[in-house]
Amino acid sequence: MSVTQQQVLDSLKGVKSPRGVALTLANVLSTISASDGKVFFSINVEAAEARAWESVRAEAEAAVRTIPGVTTVMVALTAERKPGSAPPPPPQPSRGAPGVQPAHAHKPPQGGGSPMARQAEIPGVAAVIAVASGKGGVGKSTTALNLALGLRDLGLKVGLLDADIYGPSVPRLTGLRDKPELNDERKMIPLRRFGLAIMSIGFLVEEETAMIWRGPMVMSAVTQMLRDVEWGKLDVLVVDMPPGTGDAQLTLAQNVPLKGAVIVSTPQDLSLIDARRGLAMFKKVNVPVLGIVENMSYFQCPHCGTRSDIFGHGGARHEAEKLKVPFLGEIPLHMAIRATSDAGKPVVDSEPDGPHAAIYRAIAGQVRDQLKGVIAAA
């Protein structure tokens, strides 16, 4: 059953803003995306009022879920300060004025003002690790998937979360095209392939859809894929991060206590500069760096076996030594890895006895060894 924008608007008429105005008349709704049972939109409010609107966001989401044919709902709360406006003033005694109270009138979260105070474990998941890169195009998603498969081959229960909101690659890398279903608690059930529990924003939108989302919408989407998914019992949840050091990375670090991060880089200087920034970001938010992987480390001719250092060689190893973090290994630029990835048949699973699968499993072994205490305690 097709869901229309008008049906969504009709369902939101009964939801009231903190001032008692119908949400559809409050001039806060973004354009509504409704397609194939999936509904996405944001509520845009002033930063000073954001906390008072959170319950409205949850009520709006619940209202849309009641529409027949709706399978997935994602409502983001976008809070922005007006350009040139001053920060909220210090707390003043309340005069009982009607309407929305300013942000300072609401109780701050427990644990002080640190964003890390919001961290909470994901039920059933022993360790969450991030696979990140300072820039795109370094093979991070391919590395994340094959790392997850390497951990699986070591006997661990593993999940993979594709948190690259703007460019989700996991659907193509795994060959998955299905849509996640909801359980009785309205949580999404991850898809399964290769023995992994897998979730991606790419399962909820079409491959050609451009995700033109502001930062708060990205943060809301990452949070939902962490919290509104029934992950079950996992030893490790591998999170394929978007490139860079932006909202998604900070949301993940603030949302769950990450047990570590793996940085993926190519040997060339430009990639290493960006990898350095990613490593520095994780250190700033007290996330242990499990190590650096040098991807596309060298080209190996599939015909004669000759090795060529197209992007240079050894840069990531030297960087790891310089920064005193583990160097996890070198992955070659090879036709087999590219071809199996494009076909949705990752090399660790499709060629388990090959040399490339052995490289990924060796990297996975080093990651597992650093997580042993966490996994054993779960």
Side-chain angles (χ1 to χ4, degrees), residues 223-243:
T223 300
Q224 283 197 265
M225 288 195 295
L226 284 168
R227 300 293 176 193
D228 293 346
V229 172
E230 185 54 66
W231 288 108
K233 293 283 289 184
L234 296 177
D235 294 307
V236 183
L237 176 60
V238 178
V239 182
D240 176 22
M241 301 301 299

Side-chain angles (χ1 to χ4, degrees), residues 5 8 36-37 54 59 78 105 132 137-138 141 152 159 163 170-171 177 238 298 339:
Q5 291 186 1
V8 175
D36 298 326
E54 176 53 36
E59 189 179 344
T78 306
V138 300
S141 296
R152 175 208 65 181
V170 165
R177 295 291 183 271
V238 178
Y298 53 89

Side-chain angles (χ1 to χ4, degrees), residues 1 17 25-26 53 66 107 115 137-138 153 164 177 186 188 234 237 273 278 285 289 342 357 361 376-377:
M1 182 182 297
S17 77
L25 301 176
W53 278 85
T66 65
K107 284 188 176 181
V138 300
D153 287 351
D164 193 344
R177 295 291 183 271
R186 309 297 291 175
M188 289 181 284
L234 296 177
L237 176 60
I273 290 170
V285 293
V289 176
D342 286 350
R361 276 196 292 269

Side-chain angles (χ1 to χ4, degrees), residues 125-138:
V125 178
V128 181
I129 64 171
V131 178
S133 64
K135 63 181 294 182
V138 300

Side-chain angles (χ1 to χ4, degrees), residues 145 148-149 152-153 158 170 173-176 192-198 343-346 349-350:
L145 174 56
L149 292 170
R152 175 208 65 181
D153 287 351
V158 185
V170 165
L173 293 173
T174 58
L176 287 169
R192 296 200 68 87
R193 181 155 293 181
F194 315 122
L196 305 176
I198 305 172
K345 300 175 181 178
D349 194 79
S350 60

Side-chain angles (χ1 to χ4, degrees), residues 136-221:
V138 300
K140 169 185 52 60
S141 296
T142 300
T143 302
L145 174 56
N146 282 292
L147 170 61
L149 292 170
L151 292 167
R152 175 208 65 181
D153 287 351
L154 296 174
L156 302 180
K157 294 179 180 177
V158 185
L160 176 66
L161 170 58
D162 181 2
D164 193 344
I165 302 298
Y166 296 116
S169 302
V170 165
R172 174 62 63 95
L173 293 173
T174 58
L176 287 169
R177 295 291 183 271
D178 300 328
K179 308 299 181 187
E181 297 180 353
L182 299 178
N183 64 11
D184 293 340
E185 297 176 348
R186 309 297 291 175
K187 284 192 171 186
M188 289 181 284
I189 301 172
L191 304 184
R192 296 200 68 87
R193 181 155 293 181
F194 315 122
L196 305 176
I198 305 172
M199 179 54 65
S200 169
I201 192 71
F203 298 151
L204 307 176
V205 298
E206 299 305 319
E207 191 173 48
E208 297 81 11
T209 301
M211 304 296 283
I212 308 172
W213 285 6
R214 293 174 183 262
M217 293 185 74
V218 172
M219 294 161 71
S220 178

Side-chain angles (χ1 to χ4, degrees), residues 6-31:
Q6 189 58 51
Q7 285 178 293
V8 175
L9 289 170
D10 289 343
S11 73
L12 295 175
K13 287 179 180 177
V15 179
K16 305 293 186 183
S17 77
R19 291 189 174 89
V21 177
L23 193 57
T24 51
L25 301 176
N27 198 30
V28 294
L29 294 178
S30 71
T31 300

